Amino acid sequence: MTPEERADLIRYRMEKAARTLRQAEALSAIAEWDGATNRVYYAMFYAAVAMLAKQDVSAVARHVIDPGCVMQLTHRASRN
């Protein structure tokens, strides 16, 4: 990915996060809490994708998608 493409992706995702957050605010104003919660979740997701695009995603993925880490999380979840 070129630096320009990366910048475009970051800008797109942050704009999408901002639009989604505005939707959450509109839903909150009419007490539509499930919808507002959904929109806030996705606003954070889009912002996180932008953050990952700003970083070296392959380096981040090596730490986030570590098989040992996944196994530990799965084991912990199965005990609850």
Side-chain angles (χ1 to χ4, degrees), residues 3-79:
E4 293 81 17
E5 291 170 333
R6 185 181 309 275
D8 288 344
L9 175 62
I10 293 165
R11 187 174 23 264
Y12 169 74
R13 289 298 184 176
M14 289 306 294
E15 288 170 357
K16 190 166 179 102
R19 279 194 311 273
T20 306
L21 191 55
R22 285 193 299 273
Q23 293 168 359
E25 291 169 345
L27 289 166
S28 295
I30 58 172
E32 289 290 341
W33 305 118
D34 289 341
T37 302
N38 175 277
R39 297 290 76 204
V40 168
Y41 174 88
Y42 276 99
M44 290 186 296
F45 172 78
Y46 298 136
V49 170
M51 180 209 62
L52 290 173
K54 191 172 183 178
Q55 306 299 318
D56 176 5
V57 176
S58 60
V60 173
R62 283 194 295 273
H63 296 288
V64 173
I65 309 172
D66 174 31
C69 180
V70 171
M71 293 299 291
Q72 287 176 354
L73 290 173
T74 303
H75 177 70
R76 285 184 198 155
S78 68
R79 292 189 313 197

